[in-house]
Amino acid sequence: MTAYWITTYKAILDETKVAAYAALAGPALRDAGGNYLARGLPAETYESGEKTRTVVIEFESVEAARAAHDSPAYQDALAALDDGAVRDMRIVPGAE
């Protein structure tokens, strides 16, 4: 079953670290089978929505998304991010 990796940025504390993270994370997650579906600020928000940067990546399965997160290449990206942002990241299974 398809799964979606959803990340919202609650606060960006260091743009340089976020850029370093993005340079490593993009290739790592694409190489792990991730397909970026959305990335950026919302065009509109409703029902107490926040104007926060959001990233949605599709994976073949929850297991594939988890493996991508735990991969050495993505862990290098997280190390580059360090304390550069406060984020909420989750993996959500697709609807059947």
Side-chain angles (χ1 to χ4, degrees):
M1 175 187 308
T2 302
Y4 300 90
W5 170 318
I6 304 167
T7 304
T8 56
Y9 285 70
K10 300 295 186 178
I12 294 177
L13 307 173
D14 186 328
E15 290 283 353
T16 303
K17 289 181 178 181
V18 172
Y21 162 82
L24 296 171
L29 296 175
R30 280 191 288 277
D31 288 350
N35 179 33
Y36 281 80
L37 300 179
R39 179 171 35 193
L41 294 172
E44 294 291 337
T45 60
Y46 301 99
E47 300 181 32
S48 300
E50 299 174 2
K51 289 266 187 181
T52 56
R53 179 177 169 78
T54 303
V55 178
V56 180
I57 308 167
E58 182 180 52
F59 282 90
E60 179 179 292
S61 64
V62 168
E63 294 77 17
R66 187 179 299 124
H69 179 274
D70 296 344
S71 71
Y74 186 70
Q75 292 303 306
D76 288 346
L78 285 178
L81 179 60
D82 189 31
D83 60 354
V86 177
R87 306 181 317 155
D88 174 359
M89 186 268 181
R90 59 191 68 209
I91 297 169
V92 179
E96 292 185 22

